Amino acid sequence: MTRVGTGSTAGQKSEQIRSYIENKDRKGERSIAVAQAGIASFLLCLHIITGLKNGWHSINEWVILCLIVINIFSIARYQATRRRKVHPGFFNTLTVFDGLVFLGLIMTYSVAYDIPMVSNLKATSVVFLFVFIALRALKTDPLSVIVAGLTVALGWALQVLYLIAVSDDLIITKSYSEYLISHSLLIGAEVEKIVGFLTLTIIIGLGVARARKLLIDSAQIGNLIKERDMIKKLASTDTLTGLVNREEFRRRLDQALAVVGLSSSQPALMLIDLDEFKSINDTRGHPAGDKVLKVVGQRLAELFGSKDVVARLGGDEFAIIVSDYQSRENLEALSLKIRSEINKTILPRTLNAVVDTSIGIAIAPTDWVTADYLMSNADIALYESKRLGRGKFTFYREDFRQKIREDKKVENELKIALKHDQLKVVYQPKVCLRTNRINSVEALIRWDHPIMGMLGPGYFLPVAEQSSLINEIGRVVLENVCELILRCRREGLEIDRFAINVAAREFMADNNYFDNLMSTLSQRQIPANKIELEITEQVLLDKRTESVF
């Protein structure tokens, strides 16, 4: 699993927020472009209508040119927002040009009508430029507001200086209200407007900066909430199947058992294990095994209601909390239904895989019980299902614990027996009555126990078949048989066949059983027809070994 450092995670968050703000700014730029184009187009239409009514001599071509330039800049601004990469200074440069053209438009009106700041433009021009500054608040970057405000203030100041230079009617002390009804240039009123532009710039700029900070904070909070939800989901969900994972299952089992005795419902726990799932991974590959697990998880989820809990505990082991099992017969029916659904073919075409299951069932008692105890009971019942030949379901019984303790004791002693060569191979001859000659011998395994004496296979082989010890015992038998064949060859004894008993588990646990057998015989130069394999009915009945034959 790849680990992502905190620095990398922080960088990803910053990139997400930056991208989020860029998208917001692009939408703001589009709105600015549309608004400015709308205003310029409206004024342009008014001039065209005026020209049509009063003649084209009544309008000034410079005014028309300014309005067309504003539209061109607006289109350029809109098109730039559709590009992936645009230099941050491009839009601010457009803002400077826009401001200068707006101011030029106002000057053009003055020059066109030979009136210094014609009266019907005095108020509207100021409002128009205030709107020009305020439009930049649609963006999250306060710099765009500052650029617009400074452009307007400085441009207006330059315009005033120009008008002072050419005006013969200069009044210095009048107020702004007198300016609105006068055709004269009033220095005090012009200073008020410049200060007003700068003040508006500061106010809107601070507001945009504050809004930007809130936007970033909200984006960070949103990312943290999403990350928290994702972590919570990952912490409680199995990533492969989408089912509840072991930790969340344990928490829900604790919750279900906490109300035992306080309500009429009585939960039951079912542990499900896919029989010989390892052989699917070994023969068809892990992707096929993952596919099987996904389908099994999906089928289990479809079988149970929302009140029940279906989980994958890990590997090929699943668990189910039946919230209110109603009756033992109901659990038996559920077990049969589970086996029926899972037994259906899972992998398509040439990868057909039929999966069987072993199920262990534990019912919560009517009094207090811990999750560990109930899980242990279900696990013991599952073990008993496997011991009975797999593909079974078993309800927990108290005597199972004693049986498991005894089996574990035998297993531990058997490991010691293998290590100290306590397992002996004895041979049962088969004599032809017509020729009075030994035709074949059958190899039989015995355990020379240091305390209990010679023990037959019925005592330890069922335990060995539940673990990997059966494979080691099989190797011991094969080695002894090979040594006997070579000894007979040296001594001139002619025995046609040597029979070996093979357990079903040996086929299941070793997909290369026959290859390994042939390799062992080849190394000792023993013909394959010397070996006779005796298998149990279980091997023939087990559908998972069909591919072997």
Side-chain angles (χ1 to χ4, degrees):
M1 183 180 292
T2 305
R3 294 185 177 271
V4 182
T6 55
S8 175
T9 304
Q12 291 174 356
K13 289 181 185 177
S14 298
E15 180 63 25
Q16 289 174 355
I17 294 171
R18 185 187 65 79
S19 177
Y20 176 71
I21 290 176
E22 279 185 357
N23 289 334
K24 285 282 186 183
D25 281 347
R26 285 177 184 273
K27 290 180 181 178
E29 288 289 353
R30 291 192 189 104
S31 300
I32 292 170
V34 170
Q36 291 181 173
I39 294 171
S41 298
F42 176 74
L43 294 175
L44 189 60
C45 289
L46 289 179
H47 281 79
I48 293 174
I49 292 170
T50 302
L52 291 173
K53 286 184 177 181
N54 304 325
W56 294 108
H57 64 279
S58 61
I59 59 174
N60 186 282
E61 61 273 12
W62 291 105
V63 173
I64 300 297
L65 179 63
C66 286
L67 293 173
I68 291 173
V69 170
I70 291 172
N71 270 315
I72 291 172
F73 285 168
S74 298
I75 292 171
R77 184 184 296 274
Y78 189 89
Q79 290 297 325
T81 61
R82 303 179 67 179
R83 295 177 177 271
R84 286 190 175 183
K85 295 293 182 182
V86 180
H87 192 277
F90 176 77
F91 293 114
N92 287 330
T93 302
L94 277 181
T95 294
V96 172
F97 285 128
D98 286 341
L100 294 177
V101 173
F102 281 135
L103 290 165
L105 178 62
I106 294 169
M107 280 294 297
T108 303
Y109 271 111
S110 300
V111 172
Y113 299 105
D114 198 26
I115 301 174
M117 309 302 284
V118 66
S119 59
N120 59 357
L121 278 176
K122 289 179 179 180
T124 55
S125 63
V126 174
V127 173
F128 189 65
L129 293 172
F130 276 177
V131 170
F132 172 77
I133 297 171
L135 273 176
R136 269 60 196 172
L138 293 172
K139 294 185 62 178
T140 63
D141 186 5
L143 181 61
S144 60
V145 179
I146 295 171
V147 169
L150 290 180
T151 301
V152 170
L154 293 175
W156 192 273
L158 291 173
Q159 178 178 274
V160 169
L161 292 176
Y162 168 75
L163 293 175
I164 289 173
V166 299
S167 177
D168 296 328
D169 188 10
L170 183 63
I171 303 175
I172 298 178
T173 58
K174 293 298 177 76
S175 66
Y176 182 68
S177 58
E178 291 176 307
Y179 165 81
L180 293 176
I181 58 174
S182 171
H183 287 202
S184 302
L185 181 67
L186 308 177
I187 295 300
E190 302 307 323
V191 171
E192 287 179 13
K193 284 194 288 296
I194 294 171
V195 172
F197 290 140
L198 293 175
T199 304
L200 181 67
T201 299
I202 293 170
I203 293 172
I204 297 179
L206 291 175
V208 171
R210 177 62 178 168
R212 179 186 176 87
K213 185 177 185 305
L214 291 174
L215 189 64
I216 293 174
D217 290 345
S218 64
Q220 287 177 330
I221 292 170
N223 283 335
L224 289 174
I225 291 173
K226 288 179 182 177
E227 184 177 319
R228 182 202 64 189
D229 293 342
M230 181 61 70
I231 291 172
K232 187 177 180 180
K233 183 178 180 181
L234 290 174
S236 62
T237 305
D238 175 62
T239 54
L240 179 63
T241 62
L243 299 176
V244 170
N245 63 14
R246 177 182 289 273
E247 290 74 18
E248 179 65 13
F249 179 81
R250 173 57 186 269
R251 187 182 70 81
R252 296 198 189 184
L253 182 58
D254 285 334
Q255 290 177 348
L257 295 178
V259 296
V260 169
L262 301 178
S263 64
S264 59
S265 63
Q266 189 177 4
L269 175 61
M270 306 176 78
L271 289 187
I272 301 171
D273 192 82
L274 305 185
D275 295 337
E276 305 302 343
F277 175 74
K278 183 177 181 296
S279 64
I280 294 177
N281 277 335
D282 293 342
T283 58
R284 295 172 171 85
H286 287 279
D290 289 345
K291 173 67 174 176
V292 169
L293 292 174
K294 287 180 182 178
V295 174
V296 168
Q298 181 181 353
R299 291 180 182 175
L300 287 175
E302 291 171 351
L303 278 175
F304 291 87
S306 58
K307 292 183 179 180
D308 303 321
V309 180
V310 181
R312 177 180 174 230
L313 302 184
D316 61 341
E317 190 174 6
F318 296 82
I320 300 166
I321 302 173
V322 183
S323 58
D324 188 6
Y325 73 92
Q326 297 177 355
S327 67
R328 186 185 178 97
E329 290 74 20
N330 177 251
L331 290 176
E332 290 177 355
L334 275 175
S335 298
L336 291 173
K337 200 169 184 180
I338 289 170
R339 287 197 60 213
S340 174
E341 284 296 317
I342 295 179
N343 281 350
K344 293 178 182 177
T345 301
I346 290 179
L347 298 179
R349 301 186 185 93
T350 58
L351 293 179
N352 287 336
V354 179
V355 182
D356 208 344
T357 59
S358 295
I359 304 173
I361 307 170
I363 299 172
T366 54
D367 55 357
W368 179 84
V369 66
T370 64
D372 286 335
Y373 184 75
L374 195 64
M375 287 282 287
S376 174
N377 290 353
D379 198 46
I380 290 171
L382 178 62
Y383 176 86
E384 184 66 14
S385 293
K386 289 181 173 294
R387 192 184 69 81
L388 293 174
R390 304 172 186 274
K392 311 286 185 183
F393 65 87
T394 306
F395 287 85
Y396 170 77
R397 297 201 316 260
E398 279 296 329
D399 59 297
F400 288 167
R401 286 187 180 274
Q402 179 61 30
K403 182 67 172 65
I404 285 181
R405 282 193 288 267
E406 292 173 359
D407 287 352
K408 194 64 179 176
K409 181 173 179 286
V410 172
E411 183 182 339
N412 292 334
E413 291 180 351
L414 193 55
K415 290 177 181 177
I416 297 172
L418 285 165
K419 187 176 180 180
H420 292 88
D421 297 326
Q422 293 176 6
L423 296 183
K424 308 298 180 183
V425 179
V426 297
Y427 298 93
Q428 177 177 305
K430 294 181 180 180
V431 180
C432 178
L433 295 178
R434 183 169 56 84
T435 62
N436 200 29
R437 187 174 73 86
I438 299 176
N439 284 342
S440 64
V441 295
E442 181 180 0
L444 304 173
I445 191 73
R446 298 291 185 266
W447 182 359
D448 188 7
H449 197 283
I451 299 175
M452 302 173 67
M454 196 66 71
L455 301 174
Y459 179 77
F460 59 90
L461 281 187
V463 175
E465 288 186 10
Q466 298 302 314
S467 66
S468 61
L469 295 179
I470 190 65
N471 298 321
E472 296 184 46
I473 293 173
R475 283 192 289 270
V476 169
V477 173
L478 181 60
E479 292 291 338
N480 274 270
V481 169
C482 289
E483 289 178 10
L484 179 61
I485 292 172
L486 295 176
R487 181 180 172 185
C488 290
R489 182 187 296 173
R490 288 193 302 268
E491 296 180 2
L493 295 176
E494 289 294 332
I495 299 177
D496 295 335
R497 288 182 302 278
F498 294 80
I500 298 174
N501 290 292
V502 181
R505 180 71 175 180
E506 290 183 73
F507 286 113
M508 296 300 96
D510 188 357
N511 294 307
N512 300 316
Y513 178 84
F514 287 109
D515 292 338
N516 294 334
L517 173 62
M518 295 304 297
S519 176
T520 301
L521 295 178
S522 176
Q523 289 174 6
R524 291 165 173 77
Q525 297 182 347
I526 297 173
N529 61 3
K530 283 288 186 181
I531 300 296
E532 180 182 284
L533 300 180
E534 295 190 0
I535 58 178
T536 63
E537 294 83 353
Q538 181 63 33
V539 177
L540 292 173
L541 293 173
D542 198 329
K543 54 183 170 289
R544 291 162 301 197
T545 61
E546 290 175 359
S547 60
V548 174
F549 302 100

